[in-house]
């Protein structure tokens, strides 16, 4: 990267993180800063996502400014959900600030909402490169996103602990995972933690069906029953738990919402590598004059997916994973 010759007039770029934080965002910022400086660019950190962009909250970043952040969860640039960026006024102000600060390009690290924001900038003629960072794994065009692997590991450890108490008390436990409208985290964590069932928004089932699975687990002599509930499942986890607890199924029911612990923590080796590769690739795109794309991992390669082709679409949860989860849990 040191020897890359600039083929475009790009000299200064900004980098921001937007939407929900995800473990590995810091590793990605570090990669963007160091690869960017290595390629002869000036790199500015924009604080608080699009909100900071609109307000002009920028700081120049050196290689040393990103020392020691590789292993840290969260994002040292901070992040925000910015309603203003959804309005034509906010989008115009964002481009105005980018020009005011003499930036020639922008790297946006975030989920699908962040990519939608990036699209509005590119539609106004401003060069952007997106990097998918969200635990939800719902961004279209990429096999996975920065933060997903760490979140899965966090959920797995939590369910392993919940299983201890579930077995000790012979209970059914409903464990709620994040994911907004996607059941990805719930299905994957059901597989890795050996849960009896995953409840996902993509495949709603009735309370009676859930009760049947719990009762069958009891009849089969299991010591517990673990059900992973995606936050987007149509029946709220608390309501479901109290309905099931009131039934005579052998196991009494309890519920646990894992909530924000899923977004924190030191990124796994997988997420650090993914973040580093995507950050490096974003700079390669910029120095090669390739814009308005999102870095994506497809069959182990980091490729560029045009942002207009992915905004408004969602990565589907594979039926195969759901099937594997069901078969292995019996
Ligand atoms: O997109 C990440 C995510 O954690 C979703 O899983 C969840 O629905 C949402 O963000 C929560 O958003 P907030 O941090 O604004 O409460």
């Amino acid at each position: 990267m040191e020897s890359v010759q600039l083929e475009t007039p790009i000299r200064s770029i900004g980098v921001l993180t937007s939407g929900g934080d995800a473990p590995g965002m810091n590793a990605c910022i570090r990669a963007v800063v160091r690869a960017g400086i290595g390629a002869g660019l000036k790199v500015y950190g924009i604080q608080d996502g699009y909100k900071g962009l609109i307000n002009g909250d920028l700081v120049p970043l050196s290689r040393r400014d990103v020392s020691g952040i590789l292993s840290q969860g969260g994002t040292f640039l901070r992040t925000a959900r910015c309603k203003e960026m959804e309005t034509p006024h906010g989008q115009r102000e964002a481009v105005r600030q980018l020009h005011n600060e003499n930036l020639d390009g922008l790297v946006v690290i975030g989920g699908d909402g962040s990519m939608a924001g990036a699209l509005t900038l590119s539609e106004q003629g401003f060069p952007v490169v997106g990097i998918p960072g969200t635990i939800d794994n719902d961004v279209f065009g990429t096999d996975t996103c920065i933060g997903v692997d760490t979140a899965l590991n966090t959920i797995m450890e939590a369910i392993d602990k919940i299983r201890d108490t579930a077995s000790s008390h012979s209970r059914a436990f409903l464990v709620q995972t994040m994911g907004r409208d996607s059941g990805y985290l719930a299905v994957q964590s059901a597989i890795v933690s050996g849960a009896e069932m995953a409840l996902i928004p993509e495949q709603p089932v009735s309370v009676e069906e859930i009760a049947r699975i719990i009762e069958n687990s009891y009849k089969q002599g299991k010591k517990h029953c673990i059900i992973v509930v995606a936050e987007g499942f149509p029946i709220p986890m608390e309501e479901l738990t109290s309905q099931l607890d009131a039934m005579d199924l052998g196991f009494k029911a309890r519920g646990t919402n894992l909530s924000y612990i899923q977004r924190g923590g030191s990124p796994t080796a997988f997420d650090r590598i993914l973040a580093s590769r995507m950050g490096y690739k974003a700079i390669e795109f910029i120095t090669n004059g390739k814009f308005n794309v999102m870095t994506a991992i497809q069959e182990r390669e980091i490729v560029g997916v045009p942002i207009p082709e992915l905004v408004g679409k969602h990565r589907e949860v594979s039926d195969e994973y759901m099937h594997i989860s069901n078969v292995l849990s019996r």
Side-chain angles (χ1 to χ4, degrees), residues 15-19 21 25-26 29 46-52 57 74-80 109:
V15 56
L16 62 80
T17 48
S18 155
D21 63 327
M25 280 184 163
N26 276 326
I29 298 166
I46 298 165
Q47 292 163 332
D48 302 308
Y50 289 118
K51 187 170 144 231
D57 296 335
T75 158
F76 93 109
L77 289 177
R78 300 194 304 270
T79 185
I109 308 167

Side-chain angles (χ1 to χ4, degrees), residues 136-272:
D136 298 344
N137 209 16
D138 56 353
V139 178
F140 188 83
T142 185
D143 294 345
T144 194
C145 304
I146 296 166
V148 174
D149 186 64
T150 308
L152 267 177
N153 276 281
T154 301
I155 297 168
M156 180 179 73
E157 282 173 25
I159 297 181
D160 285 350
K161 289 176 182 156
I162 287 170
R163 186 182 298 101
D164 290 344
T165 190
S167 297
S168 304
H169 285 267
S170 297
R171 280 176 178 163
F173 261 86
L174 280 76
V175 183
Q176 182 172 315
T177 54
M178 278 188 164
R180 206 179 288 271
D181 301 325
S182 167
Y184 181 88
L185 278 179
V187 180
Q188 298 292 101
S189 53
I191 294 174
V192 298
S193 59
E196 272 62 35
M197 191 179 203
L199 300 177
I200 62 172
E202 294 88 345
Q203 294 180 25
V205 290
S206 64
V207 178
E208 290 68 35
E209 174 63 7
I210 303 164
R212 195 183 63 77
I213 296 284
I214 295 177
E215 193 171 24
N216 276 352
S217 301
Y218 182 77
K219 283 185 194 160
Q220 285 165 15
K222 291 195 177 194
K223 295 189 182 123
H224 57 255
C225 179
I226 308 275
I227 297 179
V228 185
V229 189
E231 68 169 324
F233 187 71
I235 312 168
M237 190 269 293
E238 291 80 4
E239 191 184 315
L240 199 50
T241 306
S242 53
Q243 282 192 43
L244 293 165
D245 192 45
M247 297 177 182
D248 178 17
L249 304 172
F251 295 130
K252 297 307 283 177
R254 293 288 185 276
T256 301
N257 185 353
L258 298 182
S259 191
Y260 291 92
I261 66 157
Q262 295 162 90
R263 290 227 301 251
S266 180
T268 57
F270 181 91
D271 273 330
R272 294 183 200 195

Side-chain angles (χ1 to χ4, degrees), residues 83-95 120 124:
K83 281 277 163 213
E84 214 180 335
M85 193 58 192
E86 292 169 23
T87 67
H89 171 79
Q91 293 156 11
R92 193 191 61 204
E93 289 304 303
V95 169
T120 69
Q124 295 176 79

